[in-house]
Amino acid sequence: MPVATIDWTGELPGTARLIDQTLLPGETKFLELADVESMWEAIRVLRVRGAPAIGIAAAFGLLLGIQRFAGSDRAAFAAEVKRVADYLRTARPTAVNLFWALERMERRAAADAARSVTEQKAGLLAEARAIHAEDRAICRAIGRHGAVLIDDGSVLLTHCNAGGLATADYGTALAPMFTAHEQGRRFKVFADETRPLLQGARLTAWELQQAGIDVTLICDDMAAVALRDRGVTCVIVGADRIAANGDTANKIGTYGVAVLARHHRVPFYVAAPTSTFDRRIADGRAIPIEERAASEITHGFGRATAPAAIATWNPAFDVTPHDLIAGIITEHGILERPDTRRVADFFAHHDPHRGGTP
Ligand code: MRU
C-alpha cells in the first residue's frame, strides 16, 4: 500500500492529517492541521500536492473552516461556507480538482440548506469523506484500465508525480504501473526528475522504488535521448486540468515530453479522473497557469544557483495540445485520441458529477 497522503481524523471538530511532501524522501513527517489557514498554506507550498489530493485537501479544508461555526443561523452558516470556499479557491489556480471539490461541497450545503446547522456540518463531513473514498476507487479503476498498456518488457517514461502521494491511493499515471506490477509483469520506468521542485526525483522515484518497480531516475533534459535510445514504449503522465477538446495542463515540462514522444513515435497517454476535466473551458488557452516564485529556480532547495537579480519565468504547468495525446486513461476507460467530439461523447456516457464510484 502506498503511504496515506491525507486523511480526516475524528468527527467534527476534527483534524486533517497529511504527509508533508516538501520533506520527502528524506523525512517522513505527518502534520495534523486544525484550521483552514494551515490547509491553505499546505496547499500553497506543496505540502500536499497533485490534483486529486488537492481536491481532497480542499474538501477537508472547508471542514476545518466551518467546524467551529457557532449558533444555529442557517443564512450565516451558508455565508460562512461560501467565505471559506472562496478563500480556499485562492490557494492554487491550475488543478481544477480543487475547484471541483469545493463546488461539490457547496452543492451539498445548498442541498441541506433547510436542515439545522449541526446536520449541515454532518452532511459536509460525509461529502468530504465520500470525495476521499471515491478517489481510492477511481485510482484502482484507472490502474485496471491503464495496465493493458504495459506488457512484460515495456519501458515507460513519466514526468512529475502522479502517484499515491498525489491522490488518496494508487495515483493516476502510476496506478497502471502498480497494477501491472501486482499482476506480475516486469517492466522498466524512467522517471524525469521534474525541475524545479523535483517531484519526479523526490516522490515518483521514491514511490516506485518502494513498490519494487524497476525505476531509473533521469534529469528532464535526458528524456529525448531516453526516448530515442532506451526503447521507451509508452509515456504516461498525470493532469491538472483537461479542457473540453482534450488539451491537458500538467507539470511544466510535460508538453516538451509530448513533443519528443511524437517525434519518436512513442504513444503519449494522460491518466486522470473525470473530475480533472473542465469542460467549461473550450481549449487549453483558457487554462490558468500558476506562476511560482523565482527563488524556486534561483535558489533550488536553499542554495543560490543563479546570479543575483537575474530575471526569471517560472510557470508551474504547461498545456499539451490534444493532438499529441494518444489517450486519456480515466476511471471509466481510455478515451482514445481526445478531441472536442470524443470528449463530449465520452461524457455523454459518464457523468463525473453523479458522485458515484466507477
Ligand atoms: O505542482 P504539483 O506537484 O501539484 O503538480 C502535480 C502534477 O503536475 C501532477 O502530474 C498532476 O497534478 C496529476 S496528480 C495525479
Side-chain angles (χ1 to χ4, degrees):
M1 268 298 292
V3 67
T5 303
I6 183 163
D7 213 342
W8 183 259
T9 310
E11 301 295 320
L12 287 182
T15 54
R17 176 181 162 85
L18 55 87
I19 187 166
D20 186 345
Q21 298 191 37
T22 63
L23 303 176
L24 289 171
E27 192 183 337
T28 305
K29 182 178 171 188
F30 288 88
L31 306 172
E32 291 282 352
L33 306 184
D35 57 72
V36 63
E37 291 79 14
S38 313
M39 184 60 89
W40 188 95
E41 190 266 358
I43 296 171
R44 172 59 70 103
V45 307
L46 278 57
R47 298 190 202 288
V48 57
R49 34 87 25 225
I54 292 175
I56 299 162
F60 288 165
L62 189 94
L63 295 180
L64 294 175
I66 57 90
Q67 64 182 352
R68 297 197 188 278
F69 179 89
S72 55
D73 182 334
R74 294 192 190 98
F77 183 69
E80 185 63 359
V81 169
K82 182 177 182 323
R83 187 191 68 76
V84 174
D86 285 347
Y87 168 62
L88 284 164
R89 276 190 261 270
T90 63
R92 289 188 81 187
T94 303
V96 78
N97 304 61
L98 181 142
F99 304 91
W100 170 86
L102 290 170
E103 274 178 34
R104 187 166 154 180
M105 294 289 279
E106 287 184 297
R107 274 201 305 277
R108 176 64 185 250
D112 289 350
R115 296 174 185 257
S116 71
V117 167
T118 307
E119 287 170 331
Q120 289 189 50
K121 285 182 181 177
L124 287 170
L125 175 60
E127 196 69 30
R129 284 189 164 141
I131 290 171
H132 187 219
E134 285 166 26
D135 191 57
R136 285 202 198 104
I138 286 167
C139 290
R140 295 285 161 151
I142 290 174
R144 283 195 302 278
H145 292 302
V148 301
L149 301 170
I150 304 174
D151 294 317
D152 263 332
S154 287
V155 181
L156 310 170
L157 186 141
T158 191
H159 189 77
C160 192
N161 173 265
L165 290 163
T167 63
D169 187 71
Y170 251 23
T172 58
L174 299 197
M177 303 178 197
F178 290 129
T179 305
H181 182 67
E182 279 174 8
Q183 292 170 346
R185 292 200 277 287
R186 291 176 170 271
F187 55 91
K188 191 177 171 60
V189 183
F190 285 103
D192 285 353
E193 68 173 351
T194 317
R195 279 273 289 155
L197 296 182
L198 305 189
Q199 289 93 330
R202 295 187 302 105
L203 309 177
T204 296
W206 184 71
E207 280 192 41
L208 293 175
Q209 187 186 56
Q210 284 200 327
I213 292 174
D214 180 352
V215 56
T216 300
L217 177 64
I218 57 173
C219 300
D220 299 335
D221 42 16
M222 298 166 191
V225 76
L227 280 156
R228 194 189 64 192
D229 295 347
R230 287 288 182 270
V232 176
T233 53
C234 183
V235 175
I236 312 179
V237 300
D240 285 85
R241 194 184 292 230
I242 304 173
N245 70 344
D247 289 355
T248 294
N250 191 50
K251 178 54 53 195
I252 191 72
T254 302
Y255 170 43
V257 175
V259 171
L260 291 170
R262 170 59 54 89
H263 181 79
H264 294 97
R265 297 189 173 77
V266 172
F268 176 94
Y269 283 89
V270 170
T274 44
S275 56
T276 300
F277 284 79
D278 182 356
R279 294 191 307 129
R280 290 176 277 205
I281 284 181
D283 62 51
R285 286 172 300 186
I287 297 178
I289 300 294
E290 177 181 14
E291 296 200 6
R292 295 186 62 87
S295 57
E296 290 182 354
I297 303 181
T298 60
H299 290 71
F301 299 92
R303 177 161 177 260
T305 54
I310 191 73
T312 60
W313 179 43
N314 185 19
F317 301 94
D318 58 26
V319 175
T320 298
H322 64 94
D323 59 318
L324 294 179
I325 300 172
I328 302 177
I329 310 162
T330 78
E331 70 272 31
H332 299 298
I334 301 182
L335 197 181
E336 309 274 0
R337 291 172 290 114
D339 61 16
T340 304
R341 186 182 58 76
R342 290 195 191 93
V343 170
D345 283 354
F346 190 81
F347 273 81
H349 295 98
H350 309 293
D351 177 1
H353 294 303
R354 80 205 186 296
T357 49

